[in-house]
Amino acid sequence: MGHLLISVAGAGLFCLIQLPAFAVNRPDPCSMDTAGKDAVCRAASDGIPAADTISSAIISGLRPLKQAGIRRTEIDSIALNENISLSMAGLLAHNSAVFIRQYGRATLSTVSIRGTAASHTQVLWNGMKINSPMLGMTDFSLVPAYFMDHAEILHGTSSLQETGGGIGGAVIMESRLPDTPGLDIRYIQGIGSYLTADEFLKVAYRGPKFSTSTKLLLSTSKNDFRFVNMDKKEIAYDENMNITDSWHPVEKNENGQFRDFHLMQDLGYDFGKGHSLSLSAWYMDSWRQIPPISVDYGSPDRLLNEQKEQALRAVAAWTKSRHSGRTRISAGYSWSKLGYDYARERGDGSYAWMTKSRSTSHTLYIKGRHEQYFGTKWLLCADAAWYGHSIESADEASLRPEGSGYSADAVEVSAAVSVKWQPVRRLGISFTLREEFFDKDFSPVIPALNMDFLVSEAWNLYLKGSASLNYRHPALNDLYFVPGGNPELKSESGFCYEAGYSLDRTFGHAVRLTAEGSWFDSFVDDWILWLPEGAKKNFWTPVNMMKVHAYGVEQKLGADWNFAKRWNFRFDGNFTWSPSIDMSRSGNEQDSSFGKQLPYVPEFSGSFTAGLTFADWSFLWKWCWYSRRYTMSSNEDSVSGSVPPYLMNDISLGRKFGFRRMDLSVGLSVNNLFDRQYVTVLSRPMPGINYEIYIGITPKFKVK
Amino acid sequence: MGRKISLFTLWLFSIAAAVGCTKNDGTDTGPDFSFVPKQGQTLFIAAEGNWGAGNASLSCYDIGNGSVENDVFYRANDQKLGDTAQSMTLYDGTLWIVVNGSNVIFAVDPVTFREKGRISGLNSPRYIHFISDSKAYVTQMYDGDILIVDPTTYSVTGKIETGASSTEQMVQSGDDVIVNCWSSQKEILKIDTGTDAVTGRLEVGIQPVAMQLDLRGKLWVLNDGSNAWPGNPIGSEAPSLKMIDPENFTIEKSFEFAEDSPVNGAFTMNAAKDSLFFLNGAVYAMSIDDSTLPASPLFKVDGAMALYDLAVSPVNSEIYVSDALDYQQNGIVCRYSADGELRGVFKAGITPGSFCWY
């Protein structure tokens, strides 16, 4: 039999729920100690369209006590390793119910969960929060999906299990050490449209005690895709300077080059008896030009508009695992140096500088977390995290001869105690209290209650419900940016409750069906918005402006079907309906924003990935759709009042060849298959159909 | 088995075809306006939009019947006005719209709204001022040089080095043009239009934001004082109003506002040029002969959220005040009688920032 079929559903697994959670975590294909593990993980790590062997793993299981009532979307490890050019922004767009706001290809991309703002999404890597302390958000275009071995979204109240401030939710990412013993070397090269080149190298080793994984990625592109500029017209004059003709020009995405370099090192040592030490470090050096907007009539040749960012993030962790619990102590450091230049050449070689900002941030981090089981029905979790931020931000543009900027030091503390109780086999209850401190302010105590109830063992059907408060402190730029920072800002506060279900059922050995859905309802007060500091002033300032009511439905559906020998079909779909309504009353009857959808939040969105594999062949189809996004708070249908709905189709095809000394993988990805012209942000064009081919080489070693 | 696979594949591709086809969202645009602008009866409003969003627009208001047409530039030309429409000037039957963030100045027919030409390749243009039919000055935000342009050929023909980091509004005083240097600066400049050279500089206060010339030829300069930004490298102070003799370039009168006055660049005169109007949280008016600033406003704008600009009708002295509301929706323009009686409200584009009478 050319493939291995694993089915761990059934009575045997159900019995495991009686054991402590560490023994009953739902099997992750990349952490299973089964014969199928190698096949699954290797296929997922080839960096080309996932090809072989995925068909062989059909797994289902009950949720561990630790996840009682939790609403989470785990990103499939196969999706994480789909191809080396994919950022987390691109990944989440097709594999989850979040909205990605992209300012263009390889430019700022932020994540919005459940109709909230980008800063309402907390992002953790290996346990450390990596949201910019200055901006409060994370640019997901700078996070290569291929570097992450695990990613999940905690929706709404569930994010409080990990951190505070995630009014929309949290994105949890981890890089992990190899599971398979021995040496694993992998080199992948991708070449694509717009002179795009991606190089990836991974060297990993797992020994009895020591493990290491080194990943390198270099991505470069001229990124000069063409598009029909419907916002502009070219004109022709006659000899008397009368316009004789006009047309929408075909333009290039000028000034859009980028070069991103990432290096990640994971080290681990297993001391035995449950003790282990790990170190993860991630260095990034990114240079990105920023294209002019579609209505810019300046000469791109005279434009200097680019962003340079260097960042180092490192986390060391000591973990002690026991049958009755686990303790993890971690410490980390994050450094980021961000430069943004915006200038235009005057025509004589000199530049008129508009912005020359330089920001440096240092963050120290210490976190402790302990999980303790008391019998099989009680779990106590406690964690405390301390972050010390130090910021230097300056604008050296010549417009302000003496420059301007700010320095700030801030301490951020988050601590929580959580009790999880399983009074009867079918019922799980989790109650969490979290307290946060930022800069000078304590948040009120934040309670969260999560519950679930097992309705059907056969269908692994749970009903879930939760409710919580949440607070998000202003980011340091909100408080201190010069000019405009507002030290008087209050924290944003939210209340959210939700109810939903999840099911997970296997049918025989060939079919697995999963589904999850929830209704959520949240209210956010003191929403922070940056607005002009009075009319005709030359800077903006943040204010606590809005009350927002965000509610809706999230629905997820998954299927895995081995419909014939060596054939497999997988499907993962998401649908979200998320009205996010401005409930602020200004008192001005001409203000039309009350009761309207927030700008740039789609009311409807959907996505799916569908994969078909046969032996060493694979085919993947990714689809996403967003309804109209209004750009104005009054929800106008005028030409600039909204950006049109769009749907996107990407496909990829892969083939793997096995040789005696190595495996060879080749793949082709086609993005924007139907060559749709679209934007996700006004005046920021996105590329049409584009291609990338990949070749991957994995040497075989005799001793593993 | 083969048939099973074929059917499955067929199903897969039929789904692909279905989801790949969407309706073209293109909008059929064409001139379809409810009125034709007439001289003496029309007010143009340029809405700045949001910087970086490219959502500036042009509105046209018929004073006679009180109707408004929004987005007229886009509707007439099937192209967007651009990013941050900063100012408008009507010269010799052509409306010149300076679009700061788009680095372009459009020449527009004020009757058909159709583009007549454009000056492009600029560097954050702010205002255009005509010296003659074939010569105009263009100030810039991010370049202290003032560009000299030929409006007949839509081309840049030269530049004036000013030594300032940016330049803003311009008024004509005899053969001179007076220019204020606003952002993080203190000066106004005098430029000889014959030699295109700076012939005078005068410190008038922190951030001179707007200027007017009265009927006696005196120059009035409004300084916003950067009072909302104490950390401004140039400093901050209470806003002030200065009366300047443009000939000998000296300050003759000085008026100081209260420290926290929300004075901005909304500053204009009536047709007789004997009264000044400005916004300071409400609409204020003062005679050019007054010896103090007005203690109370001419009128307040009920429910105002973000008062932005104002204009006084040269025909009947009615006062038009714009309110940007939350800066994320179409702002409003309130029409008042000369003594402050509300006569109407209409919506223009996002952040209605400048007015031009036709």
Side-chain angles (χ1 to χ4, degrees):
Chain A
M1 198 165 169
H3 66 284
L4 178 69
L5 189 65
I6 304 165
S7 177
V8 288
L13 184 67
F14 294 142
C15 294
L16 295 176
I17 198 70
Q18 301 298 327
L19 298 174
F22 291 110
V24 297
N25 272 339
R26 179 183 158 184
D28 178 328
C30 288
S31 60
M32 288 183 299
D33 189 15
T34 70
K37 172 179 64 180
D38 283 7
V40 173
C41 294
R42 183 170 294 276
S45 303
D46 278 344
I48 59 166
D52 50 335
T53 66
I54 305 309
S55 56
S56 55
I58 290 184
I59 304 154
S60 66
L62 300 183
R63 68 106 184 95
L65 175 59
K66 188 177 169 183
Q67 292 171 9
I70 300 301
R71 169 89 170 94
R72 60 194 278 273
T73 298
E74 185 171 350
I75 307 299
D76 198 305
S77 57
I78 297 166
L80 282 168
N81 291 286
E82 182 208 328
N83 76 54
I84 57 172
S85 62
L86 201 60
S87 72
M88 282 300 291
L91 177 85
L92 293 174
H94 288 101
N95 291 278
S96 69
V98 304
F99 173 59
I100 308 295
R101 185 167 163 178
Q102 287 180 290
Y103 285 75
R105 180 174 182 254
T107 55
L108 176 66
S109 302
T110 57
V111 165
S112 162
I113 304 175
R114 292 183 167 180
T116 58
S119 55
H120 297 152
T121 301
Q122 298 297 316
V123 185
L124 281 78
W125 169 68
N126 287 1
M128 181 172 71
K129 197 156 75 172
I130 60 169
N131 293 59
S132 162
M134 289 181 284
L135 302 170
M137 62 178 73
T138 303
D139 182 357
F140 280 83
S141 73
L142 289 171
V143 181
Y146 209 77
F147 271 35
M148 298 303 158
D149 301 295
H150 172 80
E152 66 182 37
I153 297 167
L154 295 175
H155 299 252
T157 62
S158 299
S159 66
L160 282 165
Q161 302 299 313
E162 292 291 337
T163 185
I167 290 175
V171 177
I172 312 296
M173 300 180 295
E174 290 175 10
S175 55
R176 289 177 174 171
L177 290 162
D179 299 297
T180 49
L183 182 62
D184 179 16
I185 296 176
R186 194 164 302 144
Y187 170 72
I188 302 166
Q189 184 179 57
I191 295 172
S193 304
Y194 327 125
L195 293 177
T196 300
D198 297 294
E199 310 278 346
F200 173 82
L201 176 67
K202 178 181 178 182
V203 180
Y205 170 78
R206 182 183 178 111
K209 297 286 186 186
F210 175 73
S211 298
T212 177
S213 171
T214 306
K215 299 168 190 162
L216 284 128
L217 177 66
L218 175 65
S219 297
T220 60
S221 178
K222 193 171 183 192
N223 197 22
D224 58 345
F225 58 85
R226 289 179 180 274
F227 62 100
V228 179
N229 192 339
M230 299 302 289
D231 296 338
K232 261 188 193 174
K233 272 191 171 175
E234 286 291 302
I235 53 176
Y237 299 103
D238 63 14
E239 63 275 13
N240 296 317
M241 299 306 289
N242 298 311
I243 293 176
T244 55
D245 196 7
S246 67
W247 63 95
H248 291 292
V250 176
E251 294 189 345
K252 274 187 177 179
N253 184 54
E254 301 279 6
N255 201 62
Q257 291 188 60
F258 64 86
R259 184 193 63 238
D260 292 343
F261 172 74
H262 296 266
L263 169 64
M264 185 177 281
Q265 177 66 56
D266 290 285
L267 294 169
Y269 192 83
D270 185 353
F271 293 95
K273 296 183 179 177
H275 287 274
S276 64
L277 191 64
S278 65
L279 172 67
S280 300
W282 173 14
Y283 173 74
M284 179 195 74
D285 186 341
S286 168
W287 168 77
R288 291 178 167 192
Q289 293 184 316
I290 300 170
I293 58 175
S294 59
V295 290
D296 193 335
Y297 291 81
S299 169
D301 298 337
R302 294 172 57 188
L303 174 67
L304 174 66
N305 192 10
E306 61 186 39
Q307 174 183 306
K308 289 168 279 190
E309 182 171 5
Q310 293 172 284
L312 174 66
R313 301 171 179 117
V315 179
W318 169 80
T319 306
K320 168 66 176 170
S321 298
R322 298 177 294 282
H323 182 71
S324 60
R326 190 176 80 150
T327 304
R328 186 175 192 267
I329 307 290
S330 57
Y333 171 68
S334 176
W335 164 78
S336 170
K337 186 177 178 184
L338 180 63
Y340 173 60
D341 292 341
Y342 182 27
R344 283 186 189 268
E345 201 261 332
R346 289 190 173 98
D348 59 3
S350 66
Y351 278 85
W353 286 88
M354 302 159 218
T355 304
K356 194 174 187 178
S357 75
R358 300 288 180 270
S359 305
T360 306
S361 71
H362 300 270
T363 298
L364 283 172
Y365 147 84
I366 299 171
K367 185 175 183 179
R369 182 178 178 89
H370 181 69
E371 297 164 3
Q372 182 68 49
Y373 283 90
F374 298 95
T376 57
K377 294 186 175 181
W378 289 88
L379 169 62
L380 176 69
C381 303
D383 68 68
W386 175 92
Y387 294 84
H389 305 290
S390 180
I391 307 295
E392 293 277 348
S393 172
D395 190 340
E396 302 164 0
S398 59
L399 180 64
R400 297 169 188 138
E402 299 165 41
S404 64
Y406 76 96
S407 302
D409 296 317
V411 168
E412 181 179 1
V413 178
S414 181
V417 176
S418 180
V419 177
K420 298 168 196 303
W421 181 35
Q422 192 165 301
V424 293
R425 204 167 140 264
R426 288 175 177 267
L427 180 64
I429 301 171
S430 168
F431 182 68
T432 303
L433 289 175
R434 185 170 285 279
E435 173 65 46
E436 300 231 305
F437 173 84
F438 185 84
D439 201 18
K440 302 178 184 69
D441 297 320
F442 283 96
S443 71
V445 174
I446 305 165
L449 177 67
N450 301 70
M451 300 174 67
D452 62 20
F453 182 76
L454 179 62
V455 176
S456 164
E457 290 187 3
W459 284 83
N460 208 357
L461 173 62
Y462 284 91
L463 296 181
K464 299 182 177 184
S466 64
S468 76
L469 297 177
N470 211 337
Y471 292 85
R472 190 189 78 87
H473 296 283
L476 291 174
N477 274 6
D478 294 333
L479 295 168
Y480 304 119
F481 190 77
V482 176
N486 179 2
E488 305 303 316
L489 275 181
K490 293 185 286 187
S491 294
E492 297 168 304
S493 61
F495 167 69
C496 180
Y497 68 93
E498 61 185 275
Y501 76 98
S502 68
L503 66 84
D504 187 343
R505 172 82 195 258
T506 55
F507 299 90
H509 296 296
V511 178
R512 178 186 177 194
L513 186 68
T514 59
E516 187 158 10
S518 66
W519 157 265
F520 62 91
D521 197 3
S522 63
F523 302 85
V524 183
D525 280 352
D526 295 319
W527 187 294
I528 295 171
L529 272 186
W530 280 74
L531 294 175
E533 166 58 57
K536 293 183 185 286
K537 303 290 185 185
N538 49 351
F539 61 93
W540 291 43
T541 193
V543 291
N544 292 108
M545 180 81 178
M546 297 165 69
K547 291 177 185 293
V548 173
H549 181 200
Y551 59 95
V553 169
E554 290 172 329
Q555 176 61 53
K556 183 174 170 62
L557 182 67
D560 194 339
W561 180 21
N562 293 326
F563 60 93
K565 185 178 179 184
R566 306 179 75 194
W567 283 88
N568 173 263
F569 171 69
R570 289 172 64 94
F571 175 88
D572 280 297
N574 295 280
F575 171 78
T576 304
W577 172 56
S578 59
S580 192
I581 306 299
D582 180 357
M583 301 301 288
S584 316
R585 287 190 185 276
S586 65
N588 187 322
E589 64 182 22
Q590 298 293 330
D591 179 2
S592 304
S593 62
F594 180 79
K596 301 288 174 55
Q597 181 81 357
L598 293 190
Y600 283 112
V601 176
E603 186 176 353
F604 299 97
S605 61
S607 66
F608 71 71
T609 59
L612 184 65
T613 61
F614 169 67
D616 291 330
W617 287 91
S618 71
F619 173 76
L620 182 67
W621 172 24
K622 300 186 296 184
W623 178 91
C624 66
W625 165 74
Y626 296 107
S627 65
R628 183 173 296 275
R629 282 88 65 220
Y630 292 105
T631 63
M632 295 164 67
S633 60
S634 51
N635 292 184
E636 307 283 338
D637 282 324
S638 58
V639 63
S640 295
S642 64
V643 290
Y646 74 88
L647 52 80
M648 194 52 40
N649 289 272
D650 299 343
I651 58 168
S652 51
L653 183 68
R655 171 81 161 93
K656 187 174 177 180
F657 303 90
F659 300 102
R660 195 162 66 91
R661 296 190 176 276
M662 68 172 187
D663 286 337
L664 182 69
S665 307
V666 293
L668 166 69
S669 289
V670 183
N671 302 315
N672 194 356
L673 179 65
F674 297 103
D675 201 20
R676 302 288 303 172
Q677 182 153 343
Y678 73 108
V679 295
T680 69
V681 175
L682 213 56
S683 309
R684 305 278 178 179
M686 297 292 286
I689 187 168
N690 61 93
Y691 311 87
E692 187 155 7
I693 57 172
Y694 304 92
I695 182 164
I697 298 169
T698 306
K700 289 178 178 173
F701 299 96
K702 287 182 180 175
V703 180
K704 285 216 168 185
Chain B
M1 178 58 66
R3 183 166 176 270
K4 199 171 171 182
I5 293 168
S6 300
L7 284 173
F8 181 81
T9 308
L10 185 65
W11 169 79
L12 204 60
F13 280 95
S14 63
I15 294 291
V19 300
C21 304
T22 51
K23 188 181 160 190
N24 189 330
D25 200 68
T27 306
D28 183 25
T29 57
D32 179 21
F33 305 111
S34 61
F35 60 89
V36 176
K38 298 184 185 68
Q39 280 189 300
Q41 285 290 307
T42 304
L43 175 64
F44 286 102
I45 305 113
E48 291 180 11
N50 305 115
W51 193 83
N55 56 357
S57 65
L58 180 66
S59 297
C60 183
Y61 179 67
D62 187 313
I63 296 165
N65 63 22
S67 58
V68 65
E69 291 284 353
N70 289 326
D71 245 340
V72 294
F73 182 86
Y74 174 77
R75 291 159 63 194
N77 297 287
D78 190 24
Q79 64 178 331
K80 291 184 178 177
L81 183 59
D83 186 37
T84 316
Q86 174 62 31
S87 64
M88 285 184 293
T89 300
L90 189 71
Y91 182 82
D92 196 24
T94 298
L95 184 65
W96 296 79
I97 308 173
V98 182
V99 193
N100 173 246
S102 286
N103 303 298
V104 70
I105 300 173
F106 286 112
V108 176
D109 184 318
V111 176
T112 65
F113 316 122
R114 288 194 180 277
E115 181 184 3
K116 296 170 77 174
R118 70 183 68 156
I119 307 169
S120 57
L122 306 174
N123 193 354
S124 62
R126 299 287 283 182
Y127 291 86
I128 184 168
H129 176 80
F130 286 81
I131 312 299
S132 67
D133 288 351
S134 59
K135 180 178 172 182
Y137 290 164
V138 175
T139 55
Q140 304 179 98
M141 181 70 184
Y142 293 117
D143 191 338
D145 294 346
I146 294 173
L147 298 176
I148 304 168
V149 300
D150 183 347
T152 62
T153 59
Y154 306 112
S155 58
V156 178
T157 57
K159 64 183 180 183
I160 303 168
E161 293 185 4
T162 67
S165 61
S166 68
T167 50
E168 194 75 1
Q169 296 184 353
M170 293 168 279
V171 294
Q172 186 86 35
S173 175
D175 290 334
D176 295 325
V177 165
I178 313 293
V179 185
N180 62 313
C181 306
W182 171 53
S183 184
S184 295
Q185 296 172 93
K186 294 179 175 177
E187 287 184 322
I188 60 171
L189 311 175
K190 184 193 287 188
I191 295 170
D192 183 326
T193 57
T195 61
D196 298 324
V198 176
T199 58
R201 330 179 70 93
L202 177 66
E203 277 200 9
V204 293
I206 290 176
Q207 292 200 161
V209 63
M211 300 184 297
Q212 291 291 332
L213 209 59
D214 71 17
L215 63 89
R216 299 169 306 194
K218 299 294 184 185
L219 180 71
W220 292 82
V221 178
L222 183 65
N223 302 308
D224 70 25
S226 188
N227 61 337
W229 178 17
N232 192 335
I234 201 73
S236 66
E237 63 186 15
S240 61
L241 181 64
K242 304 286 170 72
M243 190 186 85
I244 290 154
D245 181 77
E247 281 292 316
N248 54 28
F249 226 35
T250 55
I251 298 171
E252 294 187 338
K253 285 185 183 177
S254 185
F255 305 89
E256 191 168 298
F257 292 87
E259 188 68 43
D260 58 351
S261 302
V263 170
N264 64 9
F267 185 46
T268 191
M269 300 198 83
N270 59 353
K273 295 195 176 295
D274 59 3
S275 293
L276 301 160
F277 294 81
F278 54 86
L279 295 177
N280 185 14
V283 177
Y284 283 78
M286 71 179 279
S287 164
I288 58 172
D289 296 321
D290 286 350
S291 56
T292 59
L293 291 170
S296 57
L298 179 63
F299 60 88
K300 291 183 178 178
V301 179
D302 289 339
M305 292 172 66
L307 292 183
Y308 208 78
D309 205 355
L310 85 168
V312 178
S313 166
V315 176
N316 57 13
S317 295
E318 285 184 328
I319 300 165
Y320 291 74
V321 185
S322 69
D323 185 340
L325 302 177
D326 63 0
Y327 297 92
Q328 295 187 97
Q329 61 181 299
N330 286 334
I332 57 171
V333 178
C334 304
R335 177 181 177 178
Y336 293 89
S337 67
D339 54 1
E341 180 192 345
L342 183 63
R343 290 184 170 169
V345 179
F346 61 91
K347 289 209 169 190
I350 297 172
T351 318
S354 56
F355 295 99
C356 192
W357 301 100
Y358 177 56

